[in-house]
Amino acid sequence: MMKRRGMLALAMGAVATIALSGCAFGGGAPTSGEALKADGAATGTITIWSWDVAATALKRLGADYEKAHKGTTIKVVDIGYDNAYDKISVGLQAGTGLPDMITLETDHNQSYLTQFPKGFTDLSPVLGDKKADFDPFKWATGTGKDGALRMAPWDSGTVGLYYRTDYFQAAGVDASAVKTWDDLVAAGEKIKAATGHTLLTADLSSGGSLSMYLQQQGAGYFDEKGDITVNSPDAVRALTLLQTMQQKGLIKNAKGWDASVTSAKDGDSAVTPEAVWWIGTLEGEAPELSGKYAVRDLPVFDGSSAPTSNNGGSGLAIPAQAKNPQLAADFMAYVLANSANQSSMMQKEGLFPAYLPALKADFFEQPSDYFGGQKVFQTFAGLTPKIPSITFTSDQSVASDAVTNAVGAAVLNGEDPKKALDDAAAQIANSTGRKIAG
């Protein structure tokens, strides 16, 4: 089930903003919704839109909630991923037609908050005092300019470095001695010379995970003012890294999800910088590789960059037009701010908690046979609070497309990384009217 979550994380970038393009918050749309109460009576019925394993988890916990709260009904509708954001965007624009709660992937939060600043209920009365208990990156992306939380964090896409222990051993490379990306490139050259395998597999047609390396440095495509930063020194550094690895023959280019999974099964590369949900992909798709992998923190660019990043994850929001927002909020807190429930969603549906207290549950202390007895979830639990917060805007997909083109120009065609990213910045500015930072 984690495989599907991972695939959604790779595919999600363009969908919502495309659906939002041309939308504005109409005068007939609702205000910010009914004010929630911290301990309001929760009765009646709510309807929730979600999909895939997220819907499965909500249905399971919804049944438990109903048993513990007589007079309540939790209806979960699996609306499917392909049309989810079209339906959500249309409902927000019309000011009607949305349910009491919706699922949103993290990268979409700021797009919706920008386009529909009054379209979601302020969750602060119910969850505001629990801010310190959540993944700070996820909390920040769900918070509007007014400081109110409107998209509550659910699961995190905490990134670590998966590596083939057998390849490192064959090359005589000590994985713990790799501190920086430059160290890893040097290790990759040794591994390739000793084993013939490339260092990492990347889908260069979708940007080669450049955004992941950028976030590791605390940067995104835009700064806090909404100005364009895709040509920042941090971005140039990240793209130069990809170009260097390509020039040294250390990248296996795999286009699309299936090719990436096949590459892992075939053992093409020594490392995979990826989110925690990749554990489920490996265990499900490549059981024959059990005992050959370990996980650690990401190498850093320098002392100011974080040892992790984010790829994927989601949250829950209550539309302002919700008919029963108080019950929706109570159920939301039951699902998200509850260690036992969050732990159960990791065990049953593969959703890694953004609720930090849940990461102390016994499940996250268990060694993994697949990873040679390593406590892999403990590794990701330690990294989650360290994910840097970055700025997302309503023009995220425009920037993503431009950056993907820059990656192709620099990595595949050898263009100077700074020039490629300057061109991308100019393209974004022309398309959006935004200023280039600096």
Side-chain angles (χ1 to χ4, degrees), residues 15-61:
V15 180
T17 311
I18 291 174
L20 288 171
S21 62
C23 291
F25 191 72
T31 61
S32 55
E34 176 184 323
L36 299 175
K37 299 177 181 179
D39 298 303
T43 58
T45 300
I46 59 169
T47 300
I48 305 171
W49 284 1
S50 193
W51 59 85
D52 200 68
V53 294
T56 301
L58 291 173
K59 288 176 182 178
R60 177 175 61 81
L61 291 177

Side-chain angles (χ1 to χ4, degrees), residues 161 163-165 168 172-179 184 187 294 296-297:
L161 187 73
Y163 65 96
R164 289 287 299 263
T165 55
F168 274 71
V173 176
D174 179 4
S176 65
V178 175
K179 304 299 183 183
L184 187 62
R296 49 155 286 175
D297 54 342

